[in-house]
């Protein structure tokens, strides 16, 4: 059963390589192959979800990877990971279906669907990771993959710039998370999530707890579009239909998953609660202020007003009068 | 037979180089077949040497004995075997790419130059004597001039003169250093240097000065901080240059562990200057990467990343630090090669090439430390090895990574989009060249995924190198 976990990560990855190798030949449509792979992948995740739902114990898999650095290749799937994996699988399938046929997708050839599948595989690696270093690796790589995808399918310069800023912000968040994970490894004596699951976790009494918390929150904010890192998701890329959907949805999943996963080990303190509440409130205020102060808002409102006035004028025109 | 083993790759490269030089008028397939055969045989030989060295023995071979203790001595241990493997792999993949782009069609002596450069580099790796090191370095540098002249194109004569002057200055430093050391100790062999004690304070000062001069010359080849950005515009990043830098870094590692620690007379340990130099090199690379716009110039700045990491690792303690440096040698060579080849590939093609942009992003992502490529593992090990100075080292290493990431994303986006869109200007690139780039990027991924066994080997190498006794005994007891 735990081989299924490997398949959930491996199938989209293999699919990405397959789609990328299709290139620009005319016989097989890369987007169609990618859609089939994504659908099969969703089926796999549903299979695991069904098993978990019917009372199967959480799936786990643990192999040594780099013993010298204490890094293991470990996957596990409990309820939280399974919900996130389902979200990622659905978002991946929808993104491939949505992008199919758009001019930007046609220009990118096989690269667009391949990159989408690779991003899905990396995100599944993120939510299924049982080793924190592996989580960081998937975090960084998936952020880069979805940002590249948005940049690749963005129709205009503003969208590409937004994707670039998004990649830098998410990459910076990944570096913050890397430092946080190294600190957690120092405090807990290992990078496995099971080290953190022990009751009375050592992290809350760790001398560098405030720094650790700040780093984790910064990483989460970079993916959750929370202030002050709200540039993480390129909101202003109008043409990035499927890619934008995947990027936005999966960034939310990744950020929320991180916070929920570390809640037991790090959360529960006043600093944690206040930090999160402050980030959310500041985002609320900042986005409100941006909408009010932005020139687009005034322009849109002015045009609406003009349109309304014109229509009212048209309504009042007597029948038979020239328009 | 096993006593002669260290010389076999050198003999092979020299013979193949001479044969290819004589046959420079032969048909292209003949030359290619000979070159490919020689490089593949070299790789096989070197793999056998790695297995041989991994048994733990240190093999020494004395080829003749010159005047005043000057001898051509070759010593093979795990570190040397590892470095031989790196050079052989990079030479094979780099040559395959060059064949793909038709470099050997335009220049009949291309393959001969590659073999001579390999001969010089592998000689540098095996040399256990400062004179031999100097000799092999010069051979490698001269061969790389010939290779570089093609990589640079028409602008080479003027730029090449300046680079040659720089290298000549390095050679003078080298010769001066060797002279000082020979006067102080009566020998230039590494082993004699490691155990020799000068009899008077003046001679001790001469040994210190000689060590510093040799170090400066190697730093010039390895493009350490004072020389990092020097004449960067004249030096396009290409594979022979990467190999030269890796060889310089290897020389620094070897001297840092074997000879230099004890030169100051203090306790044997890593040189105190190595970590600041590495941090400075990394910082210079990061600032340069943000500053430049052209893809070719960016590659040259990004090349400084793995070498900065390597020095930081080498200077930060013995255990994990030096293991990370040994892993970093392979990472620097493979990632540098992947970046150079990918840069050349995208610079050659016109028209939108999303697949090539992705290849470039893959190659460059490894060099700035993005997972799951070798760069991430190398950086993780360095961060783990520098916990003691975490505040300074981690901020610079991670800040540089962020700067590099921004530069790479910018460049990849530009490659994807800013190319002319009309298909008529598209120039086809032969499949061999593309395959070579794919192999280079895949090697990076392989080094990252197989980091477990590689780090185990690096750990064994580190213990052998730090021990020093095996190397010194083998070198001192070998007979010509």
């Amino acid at each position: 059963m735990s081989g299924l976990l490997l398949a959930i990560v491996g199938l989209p990855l293999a699919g990405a390589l397959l789609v990328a190798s299709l290139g620009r030949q005319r016989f097989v449509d890369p987007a169609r192959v990618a859609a089939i792979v994504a659908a099969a992948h969703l089926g796999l995740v549903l299979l695991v979800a069904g098993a978990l739902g019917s009372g199967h114990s959480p799936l786990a898999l643990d192999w040594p990877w780099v013993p010298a650095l204490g890094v293991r290749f470990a996957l596990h799937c409990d309820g939280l990971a399974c919900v996130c994996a389902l979200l990622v699988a659905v978002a991946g399938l929808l993104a491939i279906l949505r992008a199919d046929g758009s001019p930007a997708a046609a220009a990118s050839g096989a690269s667009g669907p391949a990159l989408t599948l690779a991003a899905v595989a990396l995100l599944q690696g993120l939510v299924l990771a049982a080793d924190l270093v592996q989580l960081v690796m998937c975090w960084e790589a998936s952020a880069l993959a979805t940002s590249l995808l948005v940049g690749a399918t963005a129709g205009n310069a503003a969208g590409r710039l937004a994707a670039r800023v998004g990649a830098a912000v998410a990459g910076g968040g990944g570096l913050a998370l890397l430092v946080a994970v190294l600190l957690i490894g120092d405090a807990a004596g290992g990078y496995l999530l099971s080290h953190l699951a022990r009751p009375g976790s050592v992290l809350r009494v760790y001398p560098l707890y405030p720094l650790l918390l700040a780093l984790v929150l910064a990483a989460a904010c970079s993916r959750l579009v929370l202030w002050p890192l709200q540039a993480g998701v390129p909101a202003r890329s109008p043409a990035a239909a499927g890619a934008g959907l995947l990027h936005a949805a999966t960034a939310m999943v990744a950020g929320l998953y991180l916070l929920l996963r570390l809640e037991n080990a790090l959360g529960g303190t006043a600093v944690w609660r206040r930090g999160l509440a402050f980030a959310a409130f500041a985002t609320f205020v900042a986005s409100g202020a941006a909408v009010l102060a932005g020139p687009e808002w005034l322009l849109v409102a002015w045009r609406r007003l003009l349109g309304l006035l014109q229509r009212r004028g048209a309504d009042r025109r007597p029948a038979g009068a020239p328009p | 037979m096993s006593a002669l083993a260290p010389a076999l790759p050198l003999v092979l490269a020299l013979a193949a180089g001479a044969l290819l030089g004589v046959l420079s008028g032969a048909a292209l397939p003949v030359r290619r077949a000979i070159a490919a055969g020689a490089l593949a045989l070299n790789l096989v030989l070197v793999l056998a040497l790695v297995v041989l060295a991994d048994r733990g023995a240190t093999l020494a071979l004395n080829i003749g004995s010159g005047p005043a203790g000057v001898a051509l001595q070759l010593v093979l241990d795990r570190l040397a075997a590892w470095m031989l493997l790196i050079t052989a792999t990079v030479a094979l993949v780099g040559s395959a790419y060059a064949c793909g782009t038709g470099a050997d069609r335009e220049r009949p002596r291309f393959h001969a130059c590659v073999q001579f450069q390999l001969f010089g580099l592998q000689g540098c790796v095996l040399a256990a004597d400062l004179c031999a090191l100097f000799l092999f370095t010069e051979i490698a540098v001269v061969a790389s001039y010939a290779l570089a002249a093609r990589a640079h194109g028409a602008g080479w004569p003027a730029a090449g003169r300046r680079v040659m002057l720089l290298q000549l200055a390095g050679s003078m430093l080298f010769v001066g250093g060797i002279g000082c050391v020979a006067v102080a100790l009566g020998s230039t062999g590494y082993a004699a240097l490691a155990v020799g004690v000068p009899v008077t304070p003046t001679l001790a000062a001469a040994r210190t000065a000689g060590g510093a001069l040799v170090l400066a010359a190697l730093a010039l080849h390895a493009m350490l901080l004072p020389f990092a950005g020097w004449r960067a515009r004249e030096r396009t990043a290409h594979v022979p240059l990467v190999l030269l830098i890796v060889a310089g870094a290897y020389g620094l590692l070897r001297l840092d562990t074997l000879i230099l620690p004890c030169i100051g007379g203090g306790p044997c340990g890593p040189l105190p200057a190595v970590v600041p130099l590495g941090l400075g090199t990394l910082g210079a690379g990061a600032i340069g990467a943000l500053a430049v716009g052209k893809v070719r110039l960016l590659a040259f700045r990004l090349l400084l990343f793995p070498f900065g990491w390597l020095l930081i690792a080498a200077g930060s303690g013995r255990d994990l630090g030096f293991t990370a440096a040994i892993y970093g040698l392979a990472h620097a060579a493979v990632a540098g090669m992947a970046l150079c080849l990918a840069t050349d590939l995208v610079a050659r093609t016109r028209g939108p090439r999303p697949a090539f942009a992705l290849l470039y992003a893959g190659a460059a992502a490894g060099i700035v430390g993005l997972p799951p490529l070798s760069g991430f593992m190398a950086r993780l090990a360095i961060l783990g090895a520098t916990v003691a100075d975490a505040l300074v080292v981690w901020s610079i290493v991670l800040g540089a990574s962020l700067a590099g990431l921004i530069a790479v994303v910018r460049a990849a986006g530009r490659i994807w989009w800013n190319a002319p869109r009309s298909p008529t200007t598209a120039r086809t690139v032969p499949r061999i060249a593309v395959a070579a780039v794919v192999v280079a990027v895949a090697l990076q991924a392989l080094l990252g995924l197989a980091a477990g066994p590689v780090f185990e080997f690096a750990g064994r190498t580190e213990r052998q190198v730090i021990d020093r006794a095996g190397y010194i005994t083998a070198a001192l007891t070998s007979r010509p």
Side-chain angles (χ1 to χ4, degrees):
Chain A
M1 199 64 186
S2 51
L4 265 182
L5 292 183
L6 209 58
I8 288 179
V9 180
L11 179 69
L13 204 59
L17 291 177
L18 173 71
V19 171
S21 67
L22 288 177
R24 286 185 179 272
Q25 44 76 35
R26 290 180 187 166
F27 306 106
V28 190
D29 182 11
R32 201 149 296 166
V33 177
I36 293 170
V37 172
H41 168 247
L42 179 59
L44 279 179
V45 179
L46 282 173
L47 206 63
V48 171
L52 282 181
S54 59
H56 198 287
S57 57
L59 309 178
L61 181 145
D62 189 2
W63 293 333
W65 187 357
V66 194
L69 304 179
V71 180
R72 303 183 71 79
F73 181 81
L75 299 173
H76 82 142
C77 187
D78 54 359
L80 172 63
C82 186
V83 169
C84 291
L86 261 179
L87 285 173
V88 169
V90 171
L93 181 60
L94 288 181
I96 288 173
L97 293 179
R98 176 72 183 78
D100 192 16
S102 73
S108 68
S111 304
L115 210 48
T116 309
L117 282 178
V120 167
L122 291 166
L123 284 155
Q124 296 293 24
L126 193 163
V127 297
L128 297 179
D131 184 290
L132 283 169
V133 174
Q134 193 192 329
L135 189 146
V136 173
M137 295 173 83
C138 293
W139 177 283
E140 271 198 85
S142 65
L144 186 74
T146 50
S147 297
L148 269 179
L149 190 61
V150 171
T153 49
N156 57 5
R160 278 172 241 156
L161 178 67
R164 231 153 59 192
V165 174
V169 170
L175 293 178
L177 189 60
L178 175 64
V179 177
V181 163
L182 288 174
L183 292 179
I184 290 177
D186 182 38
Y191 298 118
L192 283 182
L193 280 175
S194 53
H195 284 120
L196 301 180
R198 296 181 201 131
S201 166
V202 286
L203 292 188
R204 291 194 199 93
V205 293
Y206 186 55
L208 295 174
Y209 175 75
L211 175 66
L212 184 55
L213 201 60
L215 289 168
V216 169
L217 283 181
C221 285
S222 75
R223 290 303 271 277
L224 281 172
V225 221
L226 288 179
W227 187 86
L229 300 173
Q230 69 269 46
V233 170
R236 290 174 60 196
S237 65
L245 174 116
L246 183 76
H247 184 87
T250 56
M252 296 293 167
V253 171
L256 273 179
Y257 174 79
L258 179 74
L259 288 181
L260 292 173
R261 183 55 81 192
L262 294 180
E263 165 86 41
N264 274 341
L266 276 180
T269 57
V271 193
W272 171 269
R273 277 196 303 275
R274 283 184 201 145
L276 271 181
F278 176 72
F281 183 69
T283 311
F284 183 63
V285 171
S287 55
V291 169
L292 283 179
E296 295 95 346
W297 181 80
L298 279 180
L299 202 63
V300 168
W302 180 241
R303 281 196 187 139
R304 289 262 164 85
L305 196 64
L306 282 181
L308 272 181
L309 288 176
Q310 278 174 351
R311 204 167 302 147
R312 281 175 72 90
D315 289 346
R316 276 187 199 156
R317 205 169 290 134
Chain B
M1 182 61 202
S2 74
L4 289 175
L8 288 181
L10 299 186
V11 173
L12 176 68
L14 193 60
L19 184 63
L20 284 163
V22 172
L23 291 180
S24 61
L28 186 62
V30 177
R31 279 185 281 136
R32 278 188 182 173
I34 295 175
L39 287 173
L41 190 58
N42 193 305
L43 189 59
V44 173
L45 259 179
V46 163
L47 273 173
L49 286 185
V50 170
V51 174
L52 190 67
D54 199 24
R55 290 183 190 157
T58 304
L59 304 176
L61 174 65
N62 261 1
I63 304 173
S65 164
V70 176
L72 189 57
Q73 193 173 38
L74 306 176
V75 174
L76 177 84
D77 61 351
R78 283 198 187 101
L79 182 58
W82 179 232
M83 187 63 198
L84 286 181
L85 181 61
I86 294 168
T87 39
T89 313
V90 171
L92 183 62
V93 180
S95 295
Y97 177 82
C99 286
T101 57
D104 52 347
R105 191 172 292 120
E106 296 155 23
R107 294 176 66 87
R109 290 185 183 80
F110 172 83
H111 287 301
C113 287
V114 170
Q115 293 294 338
F116 285 131
Q117 202 204 6
L118 192 61
F119 170 73
L121 288 169
Q122 296 195 329
C124 286
V125 171
L126 290 167
D129 183 274
L130 283 180
C131 286
L133 179 67
F134 176 69
L135 177 80
F136 285 120
T137 308
E138 290 302 301
I139 293 174
V141 165
V142 168
S144 80
Y145 287 148
L147 292 170
R150 187 198 158 268
H152 284 78
W156 173 248
R161 267 202 302 278
R162 287 193 282 265
V163 175
M164 277 180 124
L165 276 178
L166 192 63
Q167 300 281 20
L168 208 60
S171 300
M172 283 167 63
L173 289 179
F174 217 139
V175 173
I178 293 174
C180 290
V181 171
V183 166
L185 294 169
S187 168
T188 55
Y190 289 178
L193 286 173
V195 294
V197 181
V199 283
T200 66
T202 319
L203 290 183
R207 185 173 83 155
T208 310
L213 283 174
V214 170
L215 191 67
L218 283 175
L220 199 142
H221 285 302
M223 294 207 310
L224 271 183
L225 182 61
F227 312 105
W230 209 349
R231 295 288 174 204
R233 282 183 178 276
E234 279 95 45
R235 291 173 148 199
T236 314
H238 56 275
V239 177
L241 177 69
V242 173
L243 279 176
L244 270 186
I245 305 174
V246 176
Y250 165 84
L252 281 178
L253 281 189
R254 180 63 88 188
L255 295 189
D256 183 25
T257 51
L258 195 63
I259 307 165
L260 292 173
C262 312
I263 275 191
C268 292
L271 286 178
V274 170
V275 174
L277 278 179
L279 288 173
T281 308
L282 188 57
I287 295 170
L290 281 182
V292 297
K294 287 185 181 163
V295 177
R296 278 193 186 275
L297 291 179
L298 177 63
F300 189 83
R301 309 299 171 145
L302 289 179
L303 265 189
L304 297 180
F305 275 65
F307 295 103
W309 290 354
L310 209 160
L311 290 164
I312 295 168
S316 59
R318 283 309 183 212
D319 200 8
L320 185 55
F322 206 75
T323 310
I326 293 166
Y327 182 83
L329 272 179
H331 161 65
V334 170
M337 170 180 69
L339 181 70
C340 292
L341 296 188
T343 303
D344 194 67
L345 185 68
V346 296
R348 274 171 190 280
T349 46
R350 304 271 184 275
R353 287 279 182 149
F356 289 178
L358 279 187
L359 260 184
Y360 178 82
I367 223 161
V368 298
L370 278 171
L373 305 171
S374 52
F376 183 83
M377 292 299 178
R379 193 182 59 190
L380 189 66
I382 289 162
L383 294 180
T386 52
V387 174
D389 313 310
L391 190 63
V392 178
V393 177
W394 288 19
S395 347
I396 294 180
V397 169
L398 294 175
S401 291
L402 187 58
L405 175 70
I406 292 171
V408 166
V409 171
R410 197 169 57 183
R414 198 173 290 148
I415 293 164
W416 195 308
W417 283 107
N418 284 13
R421 308 303 303 274
S422 70
T424 48
T425 56
R427 232 192 309 166
T428 52
V429 177
R431 282 170 183 241
I432 303 176
V434 180
V437 184
V438 172
V439 167
V441 177
L443 274 176
Q444 250 184 311
L446 182 71
L447 205 54
L449 295 178
V454 176
F455 262 102
E456 265 175 36
F457 177 81
R460 287 198 295 277
T461 309
E462 185 259 351
R463 285 189 289 281
Q464 189 187 38
V465 168
I466 299 304
D467 182 30
R468 301 204 312 164
Y471 193 96
I472 294 171
T473 315
L476 286 180
T477 52
S478 73
R479 293 275 174 272

